[in-house]
Amino acid sequence: MRVISLSVDGIFQAAQRGLYTWLANQDADFICLQDLRALERELEKPEFELKGYNAYFFDSGTKHYNGVAIYTRLQPKALIYGLGFASGVDMEGRYLQVDFEQLSVGSLFAPSASSELESQEVKIKFFDDFQAHLDKITRKRREYIFCGNWQMAHTPKDVSNSATNQHNSGFLPHERQWLSQLFNQIGYVDAFRKVNKDGDEYSWWPNGLKGDGDGWRTDFQVVSNSLGPKVEYATIYKTQHFSSHMPIIIDYDIEL
């Protein structure tokens, strides 16, 4: 089973750069996109369709702000919009989930804390709520794949010039600690790092172009502990540029 995830910096621009032509040839079972910057009604056009896939979108209700999507070959048994946080920030086009018999796949777009609408406090509260959600669902007999732009990197290996960036949002000590707790105490797995230990594996260039400025690995597929041994292959696709982020491609030994 192949899962592709990508934060697109606006779906219209990514489509113009050939994203959908590329996706049509990737033989993916799931495609999770984030940061669409579009309303669902704007995407009801042939250029945003993929033959053989069911497409689902969740927008923020505000034009040019957030939005996530999942393309899946199989018809899901259920769709979940948002995570049910009391603050409601998760309903701003930040999370969409498709459920199958024993597997759930989610597309996540976390707050960045880099705009007027998204302070560091908002980001902290989002991840506090998300941690409580993860604690709760670990007790369920269900496996999860959370794909997305998590807006933070984990270790010095995941950020070029890590010493310089340790005071910047996305690599602050409490953010790195949150990820360490996710992977160690809570028990989820960074699927990419399960099979790919290489350095210089970055998925995002804040300056917009690969090789221009610092690279960060902020895009993860985070999976249930039981799925860790089923990760077979993981790569960051770097040949074409559809946005400031690169597609994450992971193959799992899973049959739906």
Side-chain angles (χ1 to χ4, degrees):
M1 184 183 82
R2 171 164 289 185
V3 181
I4 295 177
S5 55
L6 173 64
S7 189
V8 298
D9 293 347
I11 193 64
F12 298 109
Q13 174 182 265
Q16 290 172 355
R17 291 177 173 175
L19 174 62
Y20 281 84
T21 300
W22 178 77
L23 287 173
N25 294 299
Q26 295 311 302
D27 194 29
D29 297 281
F30 297 96
I31 299 164
C32 296
L33 305 178
Q34 304 88 38
D35 197 14
L36 304 185
R37 303 180 190 176
L39 300 176
E40 182 175 357
R41 64 175 180 270
E42 297 178 287
L43 303 176
E44 296 172 350
K45 300 176 181 179
E47 56 262 43
F48 301 111
E49 296 176 357
L50 281 170
K51 186 177 180 180
Y53 290 86
N54 303 289
Y56 304 98
F57 306 99
F58 182 36
D59 65 47
S60 66
T62 302
K63 212 168 185 181
H64 311 306
Y65 183 63
N66 296 352
V68 290
I70 298 179
Y71 291 81
T72 170
R73 282 177 163 167
L74 293 179
Q75 184 83 29
K77 292 184 175 295
L79 293 168
I80 295 177
Y81 297 86
L83 292 157
F85 297 167
S87 66
V89 68
D90 61 309
M91 296 302 292
E92 298 174 348
R94 295 200 179 278
Y95 186 78
L96 175 64
Q97 178 177 304
V98 289
D99 286 355
F100 297 88
E101 197 67 43
Q102 296 295 330
L103 177 70
S104 294
V105 178
S107 186
L108 171 75
F109 184 55
S112 67
S114 62
S115 73
E116 293 180 2
L117 297 175
E118 301 172 10
S119 66
Q120 192 67 39
E121 289 71 25
V122 169
K123 187 176 184 180
I124 290 171
K125 183 65 166 63
F126 178 88
F127 279 108
D128 283 347
D129 289 342
F130 193 43
Q131 179 177 324
H133 174 76
L134 293 172
D135 282 334
K136 180 175 65 176
I137 65 174
T138 53
R139 297 189 290 270
K140 295 185 177 182
R141 293 183 178 179
R142 173 168 290 277
E143 296 175 318
Y144 290 86
I145 300 176
F146 297 104
C147 302
N149 180 355
W150 295 67
Q151 306 280 13
M152 52 190 181
H154 187 205
T155 71
K157 182 188 287 189
D158 299 317
V159 181
S160 60
N161 296 321
S162 58
T164 302
N165 283 299
Q166 63 182 325
H167 302 297
N168 294 328
S169 180
F171 200 56
L172 297 172
H174 72 267
E175 294 175 314
R176 297 173 58 194
Q177 177 59 35
W178 190 92
L179 288 168
S180 292
Q181 185 167 317
L182 174 66
F183 299 137
N184 298 325
Q185 280 76 44
I186 301 178
Y188 283 81
V189 175
D190 179 348
F192 182 86
R193 282 294 182 222
K194 189 70 178 177
V195 296
N196 192 322
K197 310 295 185 182
D198 297 339
D200 297 330
E201 288 287 356
Y202 307 126
S203 66
W204 175 52
W205 274 261
N207 289 346
L209 294 174
K210 178 180 178 295
D212 184 8
D214 296 343
W216 297 55
R217 191 175 70 91
T218 59
D219 303 89
F220 303 135
Q221 292 187 25
V222 173
V223 305
S224 300
N225 187 60
S226 57
L227 294 182
K230 298 182 180 180
V231 179
E232 295 184 318
Y233 170 80
T235 191
I236 298 174
Y237 178 74
K238 304 169 185 175
T239 304
Q240 293 173 263
H241 300 166
F242 307 114
S243 74
S244 63
H245 295 256
M246 304 292 165
I248 310 301
I249 305 172
I250 299 187
D251 292 341
Y252 300 87
D253 183 19
I254 299 172
E255 289 189 15
L256 291 177

